[in-house]
Amino acid sequence: DEVRQARFLLKEAAAELERRLVPYRADVPMGVMVETPAAALAVDTFVKDVSFLSIGTNDLVQYTLAVDRGNASLATRFTPLHPAVLRLIARTLDVGQSAGLSVSVCGEMASQPLMAYALLGLGVRELSVSAIGLSVVKRIVRGVSTVHAEQVARQALEAESARVAADILTKGLASE
């Protein structure tokens, strides 16, 4: 329903631009930012109406774990490798890729080496990485076996906590 509303708004904007004789591109692909647990769980309802999906990990972690990432006293609870977060990412990837859509990740997870390794293992092939983390993440992307990373990520999905998932991923990355 939200996607249809967005398409309606885009059509209205296009009509306004045409009335003003302002040139525009009519073929811009429309996608969905998956930033909440609800969006990740309902992603199958979006895929027929969009051209791509992008997972916003900062908000997804915050809303999944009910932890304000801006609150310094809660910083230790903002754990992107929590199995609940990893499972929502995996679901989004599975549904999106099954529908033939590109699924990318933006947010701090993509810029952190261990988390980038986890994302690769989950099947992410498009990462939006900060300039600071680019060289390290590039080395990881180029230097790891995706088959091995996938095996390790499957184990991390079954972990009982973020700490256990991080240990599994750390050992997997070290053995590359």
Side-chain angles (χ1 to χ4, degrees):
D1 205 32
E2 291 84 2
V3 174
R4 285 178 198 82
Q5 289 174 349
R7 287 200 189 281
F8 175 76
L9 292 173
L10 288 173
K11 285 180 184 178
E12 277 190 339
E16 175 67 22
L17 292 171
E18 285 178 13
R19 279 193 298 277
R20 293 182 180 184
L21 302 175
V22 175
Y24 68 95
R25 280 188 54 192
D27 62 341
V28 175
M30 187 169 73
V32 169
M33 282 292 295
V34 178
E35 298 179 296
T36 65
L41 291 172
V43 72
D44 57 308
T45 65
F46 304 134
V47 295
K48 64 183 175 294
D49 296 312
V50 298
S51 302
F52 64 91
L53 300 170
S54 183
I55 303 170
T57 59
N58 295 343
D59 286 338
L60 185 62
V61 173
Q62 176 174 316
Y63 297 131
T64 301
L65 302 178
V67 175
D68 179 4
R69 70 178 182 258
N71 186 333
S73 66
L74 298 175
T76 59
R77 294 185 181 172
F78 190 84
T79 51
L81 293 177
H82 191 285
V85 174
L86 295 178
R87 290 172 191 158
L88 289 172
I89 292 170
R91 173 174 168 62
T92 303
L93 284 160
D94 290 345
V95 171
Q97 291 170 344
S98 292
L101 300 180
S102 162
V103 183
S104 62
V105 169
C106 61
E108 290 303 311
M109 271 186 90
S111 297
Q112 303 296 321
L114 186 62
M115 295 178 208
Y117 178 68
L119 292 168
L120 286 172
L122 292 173
V124 175
R125 297 298 178 263
E126 295 179 44
L127 300 167
S128 177
V129 179
S130 68
I132 293 171
L134 186 59
S135 64
V136 175
V137 171
K138 189 185 286 189
R139 261 185 276 135
I140 288 171
V141 169
R142 289 180 174 170
V144 300
S145 158
T146 54
V147 171
H148 186 256
E150 288 167 359
Q151 293 168 347
V152 173
R154 278 195 294 276
Q155 293 172 20
L157 282 171
E158 301 304 319
E160 61 193 37
S161 68
R163 185 181 318 138
V164 172
D167 289 345
I168 291 167
L169 291 160
T170 300
K171 288 176 187 167
L173 184 56
S175 69
E176 286 279 356

